[in-house]
């Protein structure tokens, strides 16, 4: 169970951003607690990806405030986000297909020996350790990631984020185009990350998946937040109503 009595891991307060006169995000506030998954839902253009890119450092907000552990955080680049232990796993995964899992895990941050040479053995050892923690069934350590299934590729991308001390994870459509077995693998990974105290923002179009994976869901429409609800308090129809009609049936009750 998520403990909502303490300080949120992340607070987005009154975030706004416009592009060329179009208000993409209009005074939206969200929070995220340790060990929690918050789902972001809405049609294309609703503003959910734009909002979360303000947290990942891909965009700079026009106004509003970001707090990490209750302290203001000035996030204006992906490097700023990483400084605050925020990692983003995009739908494309940004993996190098011709490289194996260890090379992808440490891409751009390679471990080296005292002589300054790339330490392949240590990188493989560290990859085996993190994979044993996240996905014990992962065996294809030394194969190019192009040979891996969708769920296994997700495992590599998640392992990379977790190894470098991510506390806040942004996952964009993590099960898109995956089969049932692969989707279950990603769901198990998310449960494992929750148990380790990470906070996860999950962006998806799949309301059923959100009901299964998330603790709370936030729905956006036309750049505004329609509402945030605990999954246990709403039905899938309630969520669909928020997405399509832009109204929160619980708020109206």
């Amino acid at each position: 169970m998520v403990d909502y009595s303490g300080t949120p891991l992340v607070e987005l307060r009154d975030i706004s951003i416009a592009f060329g006169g179009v208000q993409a995000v209009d005074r939206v506030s969200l929070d995220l607690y340790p060990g929690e998954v918050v789902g972001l839902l809405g049609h294309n253009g609703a503003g959910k990806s734009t909002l979360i890119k303000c947290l990942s450092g891909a965009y700079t907000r026009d106004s509003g405030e970001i707090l990490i552990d209750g302290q203001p955080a000035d996030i204006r680049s992906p490097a700023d986000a990483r400084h605050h232990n925020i990692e983003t796993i995009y739908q494309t995964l940004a993996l190098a297909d011709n490289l194996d899992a260890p090379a992808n895990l440490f891409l751009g941050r390679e471990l080296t020996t005292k002589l300054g040479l790339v330490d392949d053995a240590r990188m493989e050892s560290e990859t085996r350790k993190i994979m044993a923690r996240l996905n014990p069934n992962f065996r294809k350590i030394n194969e190019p990631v192009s040979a891996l299934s969708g769920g296994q590729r997700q495992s590599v991308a998640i392992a990379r984020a977790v190894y470098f001390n991510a506390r806040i994870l942004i996952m964009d459509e993590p099960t898109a185009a995956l089969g049932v077995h692969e989707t279950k693998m990603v769901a198990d990974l998310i449960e494992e990350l929750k148990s380790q105290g990470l906070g996860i923002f999950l962006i998806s179009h799949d309301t059923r998946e959100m009901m299964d994976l998330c603790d709370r869901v936030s729905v956006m429409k036309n750049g505004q937040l329609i509402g945030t609800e605990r999954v246990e308090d709403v039905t899938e129809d309630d969520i669909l109503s928020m997405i399509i009609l832009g109204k929160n049936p619980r708020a109206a009750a």
Side-chain angles (χ1 to χ4, degrees):
M1 290 291 292
V2 179
D3 179 8
Y4 291 105
S5 63
T7 302
L9 200 52
V10 182
E11 292 175 81
L12 303 175
R13 293 182 179 173
D14 293 327
I15 302 295
S16 293
I17 183 171
F19 300 102
V22 176
Q23 196 70 43
V25 176
D26 186 11
R27 296 178 63 85
V28 172
S29 296
L30 287 180
D31 56 19
L32 175 71
Y33 285 80
E36 182 185 31
V37 180
V38 171
L40 278 173
L41 279 158
H43 291 307
N44 287 335
K48 58 189 187 298
S49 292
T50 301
L51 172 70
I52 225 66
K53 283 179 179 178
C54 292
L55 179 63
S56 72
Y59 293 152
T60 301
R61 63 197 182 280
D62 295 331
S63 61
E65 190 176 22
I66 298 173
L67 283 78
I68 308 294
D69 293 322
Q71 300 299 313
D74 189 22
I75 297 175
R76 300 182 180 274
S77 71
D80 290 339
R82 283 193 293 273
H83 174 73
H84 290 285
N85 302 109
I86 301 166
E87 293 278 352
T88 304
I89 299 175
Y90 292 107
Q91 191 175 341
T92 54
L93 297 182
L95 297 175
D97 279 347
N98 59 315
L99 300 179
D100 62 14
N104 268 284
L105 198 80
F106 293 97
L107 191 62
R109 296 184 271 196
E110 287 81 4
L111 302 180
T112 56
T113 66
K114 291 179 181 178
L115 297 176
L117 302 174
V118 174
D119 195 338
D120 291 314
R122 189 166 151 232
M123 290 195 301
E124 179 176 332
S125 174
E126 291 297 306
T127 301
R128 289 185 185 279
K129 286 180 194 173
I130 190 75
M131 282 302 185
R133 198 171 109 205
L134 291 175
N135 184 359
N137 295 319
F138 190 93
R139 297 283 183 267
K140 300 181 179 180
I141 293 286
N142 301 119
E143 294 191 28
V145 297
S146 59
L148 303 182
S149 66
Q152 291 167 335
R153 288 166 63 87
Q154 280 283 359
S155 297
V156 174
I158 291 170
R160 182 169 60 191
V162 173
Y163 184 83
F164 289 102
N165 298 317
R167 295 179 62 226
I168 300 150
L169 204 56
I170 299 165
M171 302 183 74
D172 186 8
E173 301 279 359
T175 62
L178 296 185
V180 174
H181 174 71
E182 299 287 292
T183 298
K184 174 67 164 58
M185 183 188 297
V186 174
D188 289 344
L189 280 167
I190 289 172
E191 281 300 317
E192 177 60 30
L193 296 172
K194 281 181 60 176
S195 73
Q196 295 176 23
L198 274 76
I200 302 172
F201 278 119
L202 189 64
I203 302 170
S204 177
H205 291 87
D206 188 335
T207 53
R208 182 69 261 157
E209 176 182 80
M210 289 299 210
M211 298 292 284
D212 290 340
L213 295 179
C214 298
D215 299 285
R216 290 185 294 158
V217 288
S218 296
V219 176
M220 291 184 66
K221 187 177 177 70
N222 300 328
Q224 296 185 321
L225 182 69
I226 303 305
T228 298
E229 297 290 346
R230 294 193 192 196
V231 167
E232 63 204 40
D233 295 334
V234 291
T235 65
E236 194 172 350
D237 284 345
D238 290 335
I239 301 299
L240 288 169
S241 175
M242 292 167 73
I243 294 170
I244 297 167
L245 303 177
K247 295 179 181 178
N248 189 338
R250 278 176 47 80

